[in-house]
Amino acid sequence: MQVDLGNVLDTASAHGVSREALDRLDGRVAAAHDRIERGREAGEHGYESLNLPNSTDPAAIRDAVSRFDDPSAVVTVGIGGSALGAATLTDALESDVDAYYLDNVDPEAVERLLDSLDLSSTVVNVVSRSGTTAETLANFLVVREAMADAGVDWADRTFVTTGEEGNLRDLADKHDLPSLPVPDGVPGRFSVLSTVGLAAAALCGHDIEAVLEGAAAQEARLSDSLFDSPAYAYGAVSYALAERGMHQNAMMPYAESLETFSEWFAQLWAESLGKDGLGQTPLRALGATDQHSQLQLYRAGPRDKLVTLVRAAERKDVAIPETDLDGLAYLGGSSLGDLLDAEFEATEASLAAAGRPSVRIELDRVDEYGLGELLYAMEAACVLYGELASVDTFVQPAVEWGKRAARGLLGGGDFEEADAVEEKSRLVVE
């Protein structure tokens, strides 16, 4: 994996980052790296996430799911970091086992999914560190009832990924369910390289050891200089551009297999860095589709965006047939991959010509190893950005406020946040 900062350096000086500025920033990167390493060595909350390539035990994950022979589908019941990391892996990789995610409580979507599945050959993975997450537990209760209605013993088709205490841990103990521990010190959005993200991939037959190997390769590249680490290069430049007014970051992979990765990145970046009036708002885009929708804004709209372009050097390809249609003969003899590459490079050049910064991230290929590299690098980049911005990367007080408000509205306790919802001003136009 490599990160190309050329289109950050080549943009107009008022909106880009000069090489001299990067050299100055590199001293702060060294100090941030030292803090990160001390946090990792002490196993501090959050910093422990960057130890997962070495601390996660893939054999334990495989053992926990080994009782489920040849499932047709796996349904992960979780929300946010309890689902998006796993979804990034399974959506990017091909498998004979279909992977689905109940990560919302939209009743129509839940009912539609359950009606479409053969529940007798479906494995359900319920993921919640606390075992009390309202959305996750509500969806699980619905799934359990659907299994009972279908004549399926839910306890034979379910395993849980949870903490040492809580409702899910009690449920696993009572019904002798297979279970995996959520690692201590790892916030949900940083948990893809743990039991939380890898169990569904293991059930789908993917090489989770290779995911961890790819992550370990990027872990080994962390250093006291951004010029020696792709992860730190991306984190440092994103921070530097935000300081110069680039308050939005459009994550734009040129591979449909990485579309869910953009969703995962959006949570990682937003929930970790959006504090104290600071942060960089993540935008989700897909190349080449969004060249025909969002690129107009990125190139000619407000000068407040970094565009991150991601592609793989190797992939399957499809030839474009020869044609005698006027104006299209130039396509014959090339391939869809050639066209996608041309679209990628045209977007990059278009942004540079307009003085808009972009960063290119290239993987060798979208496979288990490459995904491990990409996911770890983005996590390390996020942690570095947080250190440079002096924000607490690993807390999410605004999210917790909303959780308390929702629980209070449902009668789950007396929370002042729920009172604030009731006091909301209204101006209704009908």
Side-chain angles (χ1 to χ4, degrees), residues 24-368:
R24 292 193 300 271
L25 182 59
D26 205 33
R28 293 182 60 196
V29 169
H33 173 65
D34 181 66
R35 171 67 185 97
I36 291 168
E37 289 302 291
R38 284 186 282 111
R40 292 179 61 195
E41 290 171 8
E44 291 182 39
H45 178 75
Y47 298 99
E48 180 66 24
S49 309
L50 298 182
N51 294 331
L52 287 174
N54 302 307
S55 61
T56 298
D57 182 1
I61 296 172
R62 293 198 181 281
D63 182 64
V65 304
S66 62
R67 69 179 279 183
F68 305 109
D69 295 329
D70 299 322
S72 63
V74 55
V75 175
T76 298
V77 184
I79 195 167
S82 294
L84 277 173
T88 295
L89 292 170
T90 59
D91 287 356
L93 302 168
E94 296 182 358
S95 173
D96 293 333
V97 180
D98 296 323
Y100 302 97
Y101 295 85
L102 282 180
D103 59 352
N104 204 343
V105 287
D106 182 327
E108 293 183 349
V110 172
E111 183 177 58
R112 186 164 53 246
L113 173 61
L114 294 177
D115 286 347
S116 72
L117 296 175
D118 177 2
L119 295 175
S120 67
S121 62
T122 296
V123 175
V124 177
N125 177 21
V126 191
V127 186
S128 170
R129 176 194 299 276
S130 67
T132 61
T133 308
E135 298 91 342
T136 299
L137 272 294
N139 273 336
F140 173 57
L141 293 174
V142 171
V143 171
R144 189 169 70 170
E145 183 175 65
M147 285 183 151
D149 291 345
V152 176
D153 186 343
W154 67 270
D156 287 341
R157 309 298 304 169
T158 301
F159 73 101
V160 302
T161 306
T162 190
E164 295 181 358
E165 299 178 349
N167 293 329
L168 283 183
R169 175 56 58 198
D170 294 342
L171 187 76
D173 292 342
K174 179 178 179 180
H175 295 278
D176 194 26
L177 304 179
S179 65
L180 287 166
V182 175
D184 292 333
V186 178
R189 59 191 175 279
F190 286 90
S191 65
V192 60
L193 299 171
S194 75
T195 53
V196 174
L198 297 177
L203 276 164
C204 289
H206 300 310
D207 187 349
I208 60 176
E209 288 83 0
V211 175
L212 294 171
E213 288 169 8
Q218 285 303 306
E219 186 270 341
R221 297 293 305 278
L222 300 183
S223 76
D224 59 4
S225 174
L226 69 93
F227 300 108
D228 295 326
S229 169
Y232 283 174
Y234 183 73
V237 163
S238 297
Y239 164 77
L241 286 168
E243 290 292 289
R244 289 159 175 76
M246 305 294 113
H247 296 306
Q248 301 188 61
N249 187 339
M251 179 57 69
M252 193 171 184
Y254 275 68
E256 291 205 22
S257 60
L258 293 177
E259 189 168 11
T260 305
F261 160 73
S262 293
E263 296 184 40
W264 173 86
F265 175 85
Q267 183 193 9
L268 177 75
W269 220 243
E271 195 169 353
S272 299
L273 303 174
K275 288 144 193 169
D276 304 325
L278 302 173
Q280 201 175 43
T281 301
L283 308 174
R284 302 199 298 261
L286 179 66
T289 300
D290 287 314
Q291 285 176 234
H292 297 269
S293 59
Q294 299 178 35
L295 182 59
Q296 175 65 39
L297 174 67
Y298 300 164
R299 191 179 194 273
R303 290 182 177 273
D304 61 354
K305 297 172 188 66
L306 160 65
V307 180
T308 303
L309 304 168
V310 184
R311 74 172 176 182
E314 299 177 21
R315 59 172 176 260
K316 296 178 181 178
D317 209 348
V318 175
I320 300 174
E322 301 284 352
T323 179
D324 57 1
L325 293 173
D326 290 343
L328 295 180
Y330 73 94
L331 292 173
S334 61
S335 69
L336 294 181
D338 294 334
L339 179 56
L340 189 65
D341 284 341
E343 299 277 15
F344 179 99
E345 290 164 13
T347 296
E348 191 174 53
S350 171
L351 293 165
R356 308 301 176 107
S358 68
V359 173
R360 176 194 291 206
I361 298 175
E362 287 193 307
L363 309 175
D364 288 342
R365 61 195 65 83
V366 180
D367 59 8
E368 288 93 338

